[in-house]
Structures are given as structure tokens and as C-alpha cells.
């Protein structure tokens, strides 16, 4: 007598997700599989179908997603290089995506726009940033309403009116404690300040207060409603965590693509924009991160890390070459954007490190 197993049992047997088993059944790729009630049953003798998917299996209907905040160190200009690190057709199949220092999420939103990962995980230690992600995921209508109201007030004002409004919002943002009942308001202030402050910086003082001055934008887009709604839809299958990158260890396995974008090691004494939080990301933190990468490398995950190249300033500085001597290190050209003087911006090398 023919015996059957459930989709859950097949998933455990074949080491794939239950959702993937259901998809294979619906595509008639498992001989003898049938729907009974609202569940699939599969012959116990059935073999796992050959799965030729890779992360390059593109979505049929793509919607371009853009970061909802500007972020120092954002990787928009490195997207093409980073995408090359995704396994191509015929290579190892990856079904999970992990970005435990997500920041503005340039690569993350590019991934969401183009590729179908079964599970996605993002995190950041910046509680205000993660709150904004969570609010977009769960309360986008209320957030859009508040951002639209602020945009309608701010844009018609003259320079003095804008300054008064900006600094009043900054004061409210710093005074308002982040709680469940203030999450939407805090997220709206956070995005408003990001869109109107100098260079899109997020910087805090030793008391943890946001202290960036107002920028000089003529017509900033404070409420990008279409993009926010598209992000809202895309985030429904994403796990969002506020905390240290090390928490991602429980998510990472051999089927995971991991991208890490830490605060860059300053390439000069005046370029140390690492104060995203009250604790600076110094060389000891860079070393701790490298040890974490060693740990998750042991799982078989595909890992990619980006950072600044200290050799831009000192050709003898081999900090990262030594720290990641057992990994592949690629130097790519990028534009230096973190400088108030336009003449001090230019091409530099950045590092892309992978296993």
C-alpha cells in the first residue's frame, strides 16, 4: 500500500522549506503529489526534484525599490560590484538573505526588487532606523499621513521659517522616548530630519541626541508615498531586528547570502563619521566583526563585507589585508562623498571582502 508524507515531513527529509515543497507540488514537479483538504500529501518514495534555482532567478514582475533614507556610507555606487558576488547560474543555490548592519539598505532594496529569496533578515543597532523600517512594514498609512502633513507645512516656508520648523522637529525628536505608542511619530520625525538635514547624516552626541544642522535643499521629497507603499509590501516577508549584528548568527546557515556593511574605518583624521550611535566603531570593533565573520564562515554561508581601504592614505597600512588574510580582497573605485568641501571629494578605493 502506497504511503504518503506531509509537505512538512518532505521539507525535513529534503532539507528545504515547507513553502518550497508546496510550490514544487503546485508546479506538478513531484510525481503523485495531491491536495487533500488544504494540504499537500506526497508519496513517501518520492525523490526531491532537481532544483536549478539560484538567486539569479529573477522575479517575473519587478518593482524598483529605493532606500527611504539617505545614509552616510550608502552603497548605491557599489551595487554593480556587490551584485557580482551573488552566485550565478549553476553555482550553489542560496535561499536566504541576511544583512545585519542594514543602514539605508541600498543593496537590500536592490535584492528585494530583483530576486526571490525565501527568507530575509535585516538588523541594525540604530533603534531609530529600525523603528522606521518596522513602522513602514506595519503602519505605512499612518506614517505617510504624518510625512505628508510635514511636507505640506515645510516646503512653502521661507528660509527662516524652515529653520524654525526644522529645529523644532529636531527638539521634539530628541525629547520623545521611543515606545510602542510613539513609534509612528518618531519614525515620521526621523525621516523628515533625514530628508532635510545636512548631507543626510545621522549623527548623535555623547548624550545620544541627534545634532545634525539643517541642510540647504530647495525642494526635498519628504514623503515619497509610492516608494514607501512598495517597501511596505516588500517587507512583509522580512524579519527586522534591532540589535547587534551578532544576533544574526542564529539565522545564518549554508543557504544564506550575508552582506555586512559596518561603519567604515576612517581613512583620515577628519573623516571619522562613525557616530551613528553613542558608541564608536573603532579598530577593536572591526576585529570583533572579523571574528564573527570567521564564525559564520564555518556554516558554509556566502559572505561579503565592504569597508574603506586604509592604503588610500597610507600605502603601508595593511590593517584589513592582515585581518582578512584568509579571504578574498578586491579593491574597487568609488567616490568619496563624506566631505563638506566639494573639492575634497574624489575617487578612492574601497574594499570588497568575501569568502
Amino acid at each position: 500500500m502506497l504511503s504518503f508524507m506531509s509537505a512538512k515531513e518532505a521539507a525535513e527529509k529534503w532539507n528545504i522549506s515547507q513553502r518550497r515543497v508546496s510550490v514544487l507540488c503546485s508546479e506538478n514537479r513531484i510525481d503523485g503529489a495531491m491536495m487533500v483538504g488544504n494540504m499537500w500529501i506526497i508519496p513517501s518514495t518520492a525523490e526531491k526534484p532537481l532544483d536549478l534555482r539560484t538567486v539569479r532567478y529573477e522575479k517575473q514582475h519587478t518593482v524598483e525599490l529605493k532606500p527611504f533614507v539617505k545614509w552616510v556610507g550608502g552603497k548605491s555606487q557599489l551595487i554593480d560590484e556587490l551584485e557580482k558576488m551573488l552566485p550565478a547560474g549553476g553555482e550553489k543555490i542560496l535561499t536566504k538573505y541576511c544583512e545585519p548592519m542594514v543602514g539605508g539598505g541600498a543593496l537590500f532594496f536592490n535584492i528585494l526588487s530583483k530576486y526571490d529569496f525565501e527568507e530575509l533578515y535585516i538588523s541594525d543597532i540604530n533603534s531609530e532606523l529600525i523603528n522606521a523600517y518596522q513602522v513602514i512594514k506595519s503602519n505605512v498609512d499612518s506614517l505617510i499621513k504624518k510625512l505628508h502633513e510635514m511636507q505640506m507645512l515645510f516646503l512653502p516656508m521661507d528660509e527662516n521659517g524652515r529653520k524654525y520648523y526644522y529645529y523644532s522637529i529636531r527638539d521634539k525628536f530628541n525629547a520623545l522616548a521611543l515606545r510602542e505608542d510613539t513609534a509612528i511619530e518618531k519614525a515620521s520625525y526621523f525621516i523628515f530630519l533625514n530628508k532635510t538635514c545636512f548631507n543626510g547624516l545621522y549623527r548623535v552626541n555623547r548624550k545620544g541626541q541627534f545634532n545634525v544642522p539643517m541642510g540647504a535643499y530647495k525642494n526635498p521629497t519628504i514623503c515619497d508615498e509610492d516608494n514607501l507603499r512598495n517597501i511596505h509590501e516588500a517587507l512583509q516577508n522580512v524579519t527586522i531586528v534591532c540589535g547587534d549584528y551578532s544576533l544574526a548568527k542564529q539565522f545564518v546557515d549554508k543557504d544564506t547570502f550575508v552582506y555586512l556593511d559596518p561603519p567604515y574605518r576612517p581613512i583620515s583624521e577628519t573623516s571619522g563619521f562613525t557616530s551613528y550611535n553613542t558608541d564608536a566603531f573603532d579598530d577593536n570593533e572591526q576585529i570583533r566583526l572579523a571574528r564573527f565573520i570567521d564564525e559564520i564562515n564555518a556554516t558554509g554561508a556566502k559572505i561579503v563585507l565592504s569597508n574603506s581601504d586604509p592604503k588610500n592614505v597610507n600605502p603601508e597600512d595593511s590593517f584589513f589585508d592582515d585581518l582578512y588574510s584568509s579571504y578574498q580582497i578586491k579593491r574597487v573605485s568609488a567616490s568619496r562623498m563624506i566631505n563638506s568641501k566639494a573639492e575634497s571629494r574624489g575617487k578612492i578605493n574601497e574594499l570588497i571582502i568575501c569568502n
Side-chain angles (χ1 to χ4, degrees):
M1 181 177 178
L2 184 63
S3 62
F4 290 86
M5 58 183 170
S6 67
K8 181 180 180 181
E9 291 169 332
E12 293 174 351
K13 179 180 179 180
W14 295 336
N15 195 30
I16 60 177
S17 71
Q18 185 174 338
R19 174 186 172 193
R20 183 60 189 160
V21 172
S22 298
V23 170
L24 292 170
C25 290
S26 65
E27 293 176 346
N28 297 318
R29 299 201 35 211
I30 301 177
D31 290 338
M34 64 182 74
M35 179 72 80
V36 176
N38 61 353
M39 63 179 288
W40 287 101
I41 61 171
I42 300 155
S44 300
T45 56
E47 295 184 1
K48 177 182 177 180
L50 181 63
D51 193 342
L52 300 178
R53 295 171 309 134
T54 71
V55 292
R56 294 228 178 261
Y57 187 84
E58 298 188 2
K59 294 181 177 180
Q60 292 182 348
H61 305 288
T62 61
V63 175
E64 183 181 0
L65 303 174
K66 301 175 293 183
F68 63 88
V69 289
K70 295 175 285 184
W71 208 249
V72 168
K75 294 299 163 295
S76 296
Q77 59 181 327
L78 292 182
I79 288 293
D80 290 343
E81 288 291 339
L82 293 170
E83 258 193 290
K84 293 176 184 177
M85 303 297 169
L86 294 170
E91 296 183 33
K92 177 183 175 182
I93 296 166
L94 299 177
T95 58
K96 299 167 69 176
Y97 179 84
C98 178
E99 191 167 338
M101 303 170 109
V102 68
L107 181 62
F108 170 64
F109 287 119
N110 182 68
I111 292 293
L112 276 182
S113 298
K114 295 181 179 179
Y115 305 116
D116 274 318
F117 281 93
E118 293 179 7
E119 298 179 65
L120 300 100
Y121 174 107
I122 60 172
S123 68
D124 202 282
I125 200 169
N126 188 314
S127 59
E128 301 292 355
L129 174 67
I130 289 299
N131 176 62
Y133 276 97
Q134 291 170 333
V135 167
I136 292 172
K137 179 178 179 177
S138 58
N139 292 291
V140 72
D141 289 334
S142 298
L143 176 65
I144 287 171
K145 180 180 178 181
K146 285 186 174 293
L147 288 173
H148 183 69
E149 289 171 354
M150 286 192 283
Q151 180 170 274
M152 295 297 289
L153 284 170
F154 184 78
L155 292 185
M157 294 178 176
D158 60 21
E159 184 178 357
N160 288 333
R162 286 186 173 191
K163 282 184 177 180
Y164 178 83
Y165 189 76
Y166 174 87
Y167 289 106
S168 68
I169 294 295
R170 195 178 78 170
D171 288 343
K172 289 179 180 179
F173 176 75
N174 285 326
L176 187 64
L178 179 54
R179 303 186 304 268
E180 184 176 351
D181 63 327
T182 63
I184 298 171
E185 190 173 3
K186 283 284 275 186
S188 67
Y189 292 163
F190 175 83
I191 294 173
F192 168 83
L193 292 170
N194 177 268
K195 297 294 188 180
T196 56
C197 74
F198 174 73
N199 269 10
L201 284 174
Y202 186 86
R203 184 189 63 198
V204 295
N205 59 24
R206 293 185 182 277
K207 295 181 180 179
Q209 295 178 323
F210 181 77
N211 65 354
V212 181
M214 189 178 81
Y217 306 104
K218 291 183 178 180
N219 191 33
T221 302
I222 296 164
C223 182
D224 188 346
E225 181 173 348
D226 289 343
N227 190 51
L228 288 172
R229 292 195 183 281
N230 289 336
I231 292 174
H232 164 75
E233 293 295 332
L235 288 179
Q236 298 309 304
N237 192 36
V238 179
T239 299
I240 305 172
V241 174
C242 181
D244 187 73
Y245 59 82
S246 61
L247 296 175
K249 185 178 179 181
Q250 59 190 354
F251 177 84
V252 176
D253 59 22
K254 63 181 177 59
D255 300 315
T256 312
F257 180 90
V258 185
Y259 174 56
L260 295 118
D261 180 29
Y264 273 18
R265 186 172 186 248
I267 59 175
S268 71
E269 292 181 0
T270 58
S271 64
F273 285 93
T274 58
S275 297
Y276 303 108
N277 302 280
T278 52
D279 298 322
F281 205 91
D282 59 15
D283 281 0
N284 288 329
E285 285 297 315
Q286 297 286 358
I287 293 169
R288 184 170 79 94
L289 175 61
R291 299 290 79 82
F292 169 74
I293 289 174
D294 289 340
E295 290 181 29
I296 60 173
N297 181 50
T299 69
K302 174 63 179 179
I303 303 167
V304 178
L305 167 81
S306 54
N307 215 309
S308 58
D309 184 1
K311 292 184 181 293
N312 286 305
V313 175
N314 179 5
E316 303 301 318
D317 191 339
S318 59
F319 179 81
F320 287 120
D321 295 83
D322 295 338
L323 190 60
Y324 292 103
S325 59
S326 61
Y327 296 84
Q328 300 175 47
I329 300 176
K330 183 178 182 180
R331 286 175 161 85
V332 297
S333 179
S335 296
R336 179 206 300 265
M337 300 302 293
I338 313 170
N339 201 301
S340 58
K341 298 180 180 179
E343 64 272 17
S344 296
R345 301 172 185 170
K347 290 292 183 181
I348 59 171
N349 281 334
E350 294 194 4
L351 302 179
I352 296 180
I353 301 164
C354 61
N355 57 0

